[in-house]
Structure formats: structure tokens, C-alpha cells
Amino acid sequence: MKRGRLAASMDPSQVGVGSRLFADRVASFFSDSLPEFARGRLADLGCGEVPLYGAYRDLVTYTVCVDWSGSPHGGSHVDLECSLDEAIPLPDGYFDTVILSDVLEHIASPESLWHEMARILRPGGTVLISVPFFYWIHEAPHDHHRFTEYALRRSAEAAGLEVLRLEPLGGVPEILADLLAKNLQGVRLAGKAMASAIQRLAAAFVRTRPGRRLSERTGRAFPLGYAMVARKKAGDQEPETGPASCPKPRA
């Protein structure tokens, strides 16, 4: 947290030096969206090291953190271990909020996960999603997809979700800075310092009026990533009240 908002960690073991700009854009989306949409019972799918936990902890009443056994981030924060390519062992209509942050591209069968997210959500519940687009291959060989805004919208609607927000995370300035930083960070001696400086300069530029306008104008055709908020349509489904299958609430 920096000045009350989420920001990319400066610890390279948590966020790679060349990925700080993108991580900042994702953090900004969740800083703005979690206070508005996070409530009740929350499922953090593909939680990794739960970087968003401190931001949503006081907004919700119950949290379950889900990840698979092969996660490169370890399992010390995981309440429920399962593959998101398969049925999630959580009850129907139990959660008010689902988070899926930079996970969907790693799912071999994403349509199945869309329907699983809709299944575990209560009517009126929301899912908050971030995904990369113009971005390097990461966590190989488990990097399977890149999604356009049209694919994201189609998948959400096919699962019975109403798209409330769908916006690019950055445009050409951020993409150029990300590409340069990632290619320079491995240069001996000065690589990491140059990568960090390039991203700081790009971030400062897009905070100016011309930079912001350029980022917004180019983001539709050249997005660094996307952020989405979608809501499960109201229906007659009765929510579960006390499922024995849910993990014990996180303290």
C-alpha cells in the first residue's frame, strides 16, 4: 500500500523489475474496484501469494483462497487446493465476490472456468478480472491464451454474467515501456536499473495530460491488458446457507 492505494511491490522476489508498470496498472484497477464491489463471501481464485488480501480483507466477511498444487508461488496462503481447469469443489450460489487476477491466461479450458465462476456466485454477485494482452510469455509452459475485449465479453455473457466494466489497462506508452524494461532487465550491471527507470518515466508520462490522452486513445487497439467487472444476473436460485464443503473461514 502506498498512500492508501495498492501498488506494485518493489521486492523483485514478488514482482519482477520489468513487470512493475503492468502490476501498477492492475493494482490501480483493484484499488478502485474492490471498495465498490467486494462484499460478503469472497473467493480468490488462482490466489498465488494473495497480493490483494490486505485490500479486500476488511471489506468482506469470509474469504477462501484457491490455487493448484503446482503453483510456482507456493501454497502457504491456500485454503483450498484444486485445479481451475476442473470443477471447483465449492457450493452453488455461495459467494458474493470472485477475484481472478492474471489467472485466466493460464487456464487451458477457460470456458469451463467462466461457468464455474458463475455457478459459485450468488445472483447479483460480482467477479473482478484482470488479464494481460500485449505481454510476454510467463510461467511457461502454463501460459495458454491472450483475450481481446470481445472474447472476454462473449465468454462472460455465455456464462450468464452481465459486463459492468471492461477497460484496457494501458496503451502504447505502457507497452513500449514494458517491452523495453523486460528486454533490458537481463543486461549485466545496469539492466535492472535501466528497466526500473524506463517504467518510472513511462508512469510519470501517462500521469500528464498528453500522456494520459495517448494511453487512452491507443489502449483500444493496443492494450497492455484488460480489467473487467461482471455481475451474475438475478434469478430464482437460492444461495447455500451453511455448506460443509467450504473451508474454514480465514481469520
Side-chain angles (χ1 to χ4, degrees):
M1 302 296 290
K2 294 182 180 178
R3 294 184 290 276
R5 290 180 61 82
L6 284 169
S9 172
M10 300 301 287
D11 181 349
S13 70
Q14 302 298 313
V15 177
V17 173
S19 298
R20 288 172 182 165
L21 184 59
F22 180 67
D24 268 333
R25 294 307 302 261
V26 172
S28 180
F29 161 67
F30 281 105
S31 282
D32 293 336
S33 301
L34 285 171
E36 182 175 357
F37 295 104
R39 60 185 177 86
R41 298 163 176 156
L42 182 146
D44 191 342
L45 304 182
C47 64
E49 296 189 66
V50 292
L52 302 174
Y53 182 72
Y56 62 63
R57 175 184 54 201
D58 296 333
L59 302 172
V60 300
T61 58
Y62 171 99
T63 300
V64 57
C65 296
V66 182
D67 213 339
W68 69 306
S69 60
S71 171
H73 306 289
S76 59
H77 303 285
V78 175
D79 301 307
L80 176 63
E81 198 172 86
C82 72
S83 169
L84 297 180
D85 272 308
E86 302 171 359
I88 303 172
L90 292 170
D92 296 354
Y94 188 66
F95 291 91
D96 302 283
T97 313
V98 169
I99 288 176
L100 193 75
S101 178
D102 303 325
V103 173
L104 195 61
E105 71 271 20
H106 300 295
I107 305 302
S109 304
E111 297 304 322
S112 174
L113 180 56
W114 279 104
H115 287 279
E116 281 295 281
M117 290 191 292
R119 179 185 65 78
I120 66 174
L121 273 175
R122 288 183 174 186
T126 55
V127 54
L128 290 79
I129 297 174
S130 62
V131 292
F133 188 72
F134 272 97
Y135 204 68
W136 69 344
I137 301 299
H138 55 291
E139 296 189 16
H142 305 291
D143 190 354
H144 303 295
H145 305 281
R146 295 294 182 269
F147 305 93
T148 65
E149 62 175 298
Y150 312 106
L152 292 169
R153 186 179 296 276
R154 182 195 64 80
S155 295
E157 292 175 349
L161 302 172
E162 174 190 9
V163 177
L164 303 181
R165 295 179 187 171
L166 178 53
E167 57 195 38
L169 292 175
V172 166
E174 291 92 342
I175 289 172
L176 292 176
D178 186 79
L179 286 172
L180 281 170
K182 283 184 166 61
N183 282 280
L184 287 172
Q185 65 182 358
V187 175
R188 293 183 62 186
L189 301 179
K192 291 183 178 180
M194 289 190 293
S196 181
I198 285 168
Q199 290 174 99
R200 289 199 304 271
L201 287 171
F205 174 64
V206 297
R207 285 195 293 269
T208 67
R209 185 175 180 182
R212 183 171 60 254
R213 290 178 64 183
L214 179 61
S215 178
E216 292 172 353
R217 189 173 72 245
T218 59
R220 183 70 182 268
F222 297 95
L224 180 58
Y226 287 105
M228 169 189 272
V229 180
R231 177 172 58 202
K232 184 173 181 177
K233 296 176 181 178
D236 299 326
Q237 178 185 2
E238 288 294 326
E240 299 284 350
T241 56
S245 57
C246 267
K248 183 179 179 181
R250 181 175 286 269

